[in-house]
Amino acid sequence: MQRITNKALAEAAGVSVSTVDRIMTGRLPVKRATVEHVLEIAEEVSFHGVGVIRSRLRTEAPHCRIGLLLNARTRRTFLDMADRAQATAESSHDVQARVITHHLTHPEPEATVAALVDLAQRCDVIACHCIDHPQVHAAIEDLNRKGVPVLPVISGLGCPAAPGLVGSNEIELGRTAAWFMSRLGGPEGSIGLVNGGTLFRNQWAEEEGFRTFLKEKGSRLSVLPALSSGECDIGAARAVSTLLGKAGSRLHGVFVIGGGLEGAVNALRDARRPDILVVGNELTSATRAMLKAGQVHVILEHPGLEIMDGAIMAIAEWATGAGEALAKKREFPFRILLSENC
């Protein structure tokens, strides 16, 4: 294949050869918008110096230290999200970013506030998946006054200082879970809900969507009061055991909102109840195997990796002067996984 010359690239991009030369050598400044345009054309025509052009953009990009607050590292989902945020930040040519991640051991107000304060001392901006609590609101408002804004991911916050969100449509997700439950769980019986706790706003929305759908459709399924997993497998197993004790043979389905899907399935296995329909959110190698084996019937997966991409993109826009970038709602569709497409 014939090598694309600087002249050919300049003609394709509609700029002068000297402009391309300045971009390639870095001797004289070129407007960022022009460099971005030339890069786009260079990628289209497979120009040999694409890497050099990208590096020019990155060298001139603003520096930004990004704090990332996520749930426990014992859940593979959040380790994968942290890795993706780091990789996305490193590959961005809009910002020279470094990601500092803090994994919470327990989703409690005091621990969450302490983690936010610690990250704020080392970072310019924070992206966080955390509980919605007055103490957390107060901390975020204080950080915002000090010039360290906070961007919620996955789960929103009822806090004026953090109005944005990068996540999914949780009402729609809950309604979709109810759709499957109403069709696969039998015409009547009891349905158990296991959530990660009472303080995750996205999980409130999922439960609301779930209950509202069944009510609208006149379903005879009885939804039991939600029990908490504490966002861990042990807690989810304990919750499912409680549901079995309360509902017995009338328990026809379990919707695991948030973490703990593996623990819930293990509890049903130990109780010898393979007849119970299981719908969950969490996709890991273990829950994927359970889905293929028919122990889990539907997984409505949060697109955690895409959400991290969206968060880094929003922060890059903010770092380059788009002050409203962190106040936007950015929605990524969840995925519906069955044994046949997982």
Side-chain angles (χ1 to χ4, degrees):
M1 183 179 295
Q2 187 175 3
R3 182 171 165 128
I4 305 296
T5 64
N6 287 12
K7 181 180 179 181
L9 175 60
E11 290 175 353
V15 299
S16 67
V17 176
S18 62
T19 295
V20 173
D21 289 340
R22 290 202 306 274
I23 293 172
M24 295 299 293
T25 62
R27 283 196 297 266
L28 292 171
V30 178
K31 290 182 179 179
R32 185 174 184 84
T34 301
V35 180
E36 290 174 346
H37 170 66
V38 172
L39 174 60
E40 182 180 353
I41 301 302
E43 290 171 338
E44 290 178 2
V45 301
S46 300
F47 181 63
H48 64 88
V50 163
V52 175
I53 301 174
R54 287 199 191 111
S55 70
R56 292 284 176 262
L57 277 174
R58 186 165 177 80
T59 300
E60 298 171 3
H63 290 265
C64 185
R65 297 165 299 170
I66 302 171
L68 180 61
L69 181 61
L70 296 172
N71 278 356
R73 61 171 56 251
T74 53
R75 287 177 59 194
R76 181 73 238 179
T77 297
F78 291 108
L79 285 177
D80 290 343
M81 287 173 63
D83 290 343
R84 179 61 164 259
Q86 183 65 52
T88 302
E90 290 177 354
S91 64
S92 173
H93 53 68
D94 294 321
V95 64
Q96 298 185 66
R98 182 165 68 96
V99 178
I100 301 172
T101 304
H102 184 115
H103 290 276
L104 286 170
T105 304
H106 300 290
E108 298 170 346
E110 292 80 6
T112 302
V113 169
L116 287 168
V117 171
D118 175 67
L119 285 171
Q121 292 173 347
R122 298 182 286 159
C123 301
D124 304 302
V125 60
I126 298 171
C128 71
H129 171 53
C130 67
I131 57 174
D132 194 37
H133 188 276
Q135 289 178 240
V136 175
H137 295 177
I140 290 173
E141 288 167 1
D142 183 56
L143 296 182
N144 192 57
R145 285 192 295 269
K146 294 176 178 177
V148 182
V150 173
L151 173 65
V153 297
I154 299 180
S155 187
L157 295 168
C159 176
L165 174 64
V166 184
S168 292
N169 187 321
E170 304 298 340
I171 291 285
E172 188 177 285
L173 193 155
R175 291 179 66 87
T176 302
W179 186 93
F180 278 105
M181 198 69 75
S182 66
R183 283 157 177 75
L184 304 180
E188 57 185 30
S190 296
I191 303 299
L193 300 181
V194 179
N195 61 31
T198 60
L199 296 176
F200 286 101
R201 182 170 281 252
N202 66 316
Q203 296 188 21
W204 301 350
E206 286 185 44
E207 182 175 343
E208 179 185 350
F210 188 90
R211 292 181 181 277
T212 300
F213 178 91
L214 294 179
K215 184 177 180 179
E216 288 175 0
K217 302 303 180 183
S219 173
R220 298 197 302 273
L221 291 171
S222 173
V223 184
L224 300 172
L227 299 178
S228 174
S229 68
E231 285 291 289
C232 69
D233 288 314
I234 293 175
R238 188 181 300 117
V240 168
S241 296
T242 300
L243 290 169
L244 289 167
K246 288 182 176 180
S249 61
R250 283 191 54 79
L251 186 66
H252 286 190
V254 175
F255 178 27
V256 183
I257 306 170
L261 181 56
E262 186 177 349
V265 171
N266 288 337
L268 292 174
R269 180 201 61 204
D270 293 344
R272 298 183 180 179
R273 291 295 305 274
D275 57 301
I276 292 178
L277 178 70
V278 180
V279 179
N281 292 151
E282 190 173 35
L283 183 67
T284 65
S285 58
T287 60
R288 187 189 296 273
M290 290 173 169
L291 187 61
K292 289 181 177 178
Q295 297 170 309
V296 175
H297 301 88
V298 184
I299 290 180
L300 306 175
E301 184 205 8
H302 282 111
L305 303 185
E306 289 84 351
I307 287 172
M308 288 294 96
D309 291 344
I312 298 301
M313 182 184 300
I315 289 171
E317 290 177 14
W318 169 81
T320 53
E324 75 287 352
L326 302 185
K328 294 179 181 178
K329 301 288 175 59
R330 301 168 192 253
E331 189 174 292
F332 292 85
F334 57 87
R335 285 183 281 266
I336 300 174
L337 296 174
L338 310 171
S339 61
E340 305 309 309
N341 71 337
C342 67

